[in-house]
Structure formats: C-alpha cells, structure tokens
Amino acid sequence: LDSSTRILTTLEQRRAEFRKSPTALKQFITTEFNRMFDRDYAARLVLGVHGRGASDADVKLFADALADNLTARYGTSLLDFNTKLRVRIKSESPLPGNRGVKVSSEMLRDGGDPIPVDYLLRNVGGQWKAFDVMIEGISYVQTFKNQFDAPLRQKSIAQVAADLRAGKMQANGSN
C-alpha cells in the first residue's frame, strides 16, 4: 500500500517534469520496479520449463530485457494514468508451501467499479518483494509465460532476450 501510494503521489507531483524528460520518468520507473519487484524470480517463473537448468546470468539477461521492454512500451502511459485512485487492502493470506503471501487489494476509482489487484510476494533478504501481479484475475507471470513459450521453444533465452532488447519482440501483456 505504501509503495502504491508513493508511486501515485510522485506521478501526480512530477507529471509535468516526466512529460518533458522521458529519462527522468524511466529512472523513476526503474527505481520503483527494482525496489518492489523480484524480477529474477519472476523471470524464472515466466521462463518455466525453459528456465530449468538455465544459468543465473541468462535469467538475469531475460529479466532485464523484459523489464526494459515493458518500461519502454508502457512507461509514458503511466503519465495518463488516473493518480486519483485509492488502494484498499482486502486480505493477506499465506501461499502454499510457505512460498510467500498473497495480498488482495482493490483500486478504487470515482464513479467506477473497484479493480481487483492481487500481489504475490516473497521475502527476499528481509524485504517483501512482488513476483506476480494479478489484475482482474489475470496473472502477469502466466500471461508472459504463455507469450514466450513458443519463441523459447525455438530460440535460446539469450536470443529471446536480445530480440526483446532490439524491439523484434514485444512483451504485450495480453493472452
């Protein structure tokens, strides 16, 4: 909740600056993403069977390429995001196998239905970090796992990461 509030507040306060400076926006997004998200663990989940036995370096390469691709595609759309949303935490429950916790929340908007947003978090070095986000029941990890399965059957993790970086492939976030 604190992170969501901080991000929404900063977007509102620095919107004009971010519109003028895409570099400042990218730096802000990258900093927040790294603070909140366990991107290497999420990347391993997205890679699924293709990540079994993969080196940490290949997983990091893929994680970085995916994060950069998403930031480049969706970063500026955050400037049009309704920062007047409020976040309400509904519940917190342990994940099976003591893998972490699921935090269920809702984004509340004036005049609209609440948007359910669930976060799956795990403890990384004493800090809770998200490794999956589900918006209206749609999982970030599962969506990208489905999207990248076919390319990873044909190419190495490093090749798919290179395609993401080069813009030959886009993380599209839709099933």
Side-chain angles (χ1 to χ4, degrees):
L1 181 61
D2 292 340
S3 295
S4 297
T5 302
R6 182 183 65 250
I7 291 167
L8 293 173
T9 300
T10 302
L11 284 172
E12 186 64 31
Q13 291 172 345
R14 297 179 64 190
R15 189 181 307 267
E17 172 196 350
F18 289 153
R19 283 199 193 283
K20 291 178 187 168
S21 174
T23 303
L25 176 62
K26 183 178 180 189
Q27 183 178 11
F28 169 71
I29 293 168
T30 301
T31 299
E32 290 299 328
F33 188 74
N34 289 338
R35 180 182 296 166
M36 296 173 37
F37 214 75
D38 187 350
R39 57 202 257 171
D40 291 351
Y41 184 70
R44 278 212 181 270
L45 295 175
V46 169
L47 290 168
V49 296
H50 308 290
R52 289 189 189 142
S55 70
D56 289 346
D58 274 351
V59 172
K60 182 172 179 7
L61 191 67
F62 180 78
D64 291 347
L66 181 60
D68 289 349
N69 186 274
L70 288 168
T71 299
R73 287 201 66 210
Y74 298 111
T76 54
S77 67
L78 286 175
L79 295 176
D80 299 323
F81 190 73
N82 178 2
T83 58
K84 302 295 186 213
L85 290 173
R86 297 173 318 281
V87 180
R88 176 175 60 206
I89 303 298
K90 291 175 51 181
S91 66
E92 181 181 307
S93 56
L95 294 174
N98 202 25
R99 290 186 349 209
V101 296
K102 175 181 176 181
V103 176
S104 296
S105 70
E106 291 180 326
M107 298 292 254
L108 306 172
R109 43 193 180 153
D110 293 336
D113 292 334
I115 303 166
V117 181
D118 295 333
Y119 301 91
L120 301 184
L121 301 112
R122 69 187 209 122
N123 194 317
V124 181
Q127 182 180 6
W128 288 97
K129 290 194 168 202
F131 62 88
D132 196 4
V133 178
M134 292 173 277
I135 301 172
E136 295 184 328
I138 299 171
S139 161
Y140 153 90
V141 165
Q142 191 60 51
T143 297
F144 291 125
K145 185 175 182 178
N146 293 343
Q147 179 186 350
F148 291 110
D149 181 58
L152 286 164
R153 288 178 191 272
Q154 300 167 1
K155 299 178 180 183
S156 71
I157 293 170
Q159 289 171 316
V160 171
D163 285 351
L164 274 168
R165 284 214 183 274
K168 294 178 184 174
M169 183 182 298
Q170 298 291 319
N172 65 22
S174 61
N175 274 334

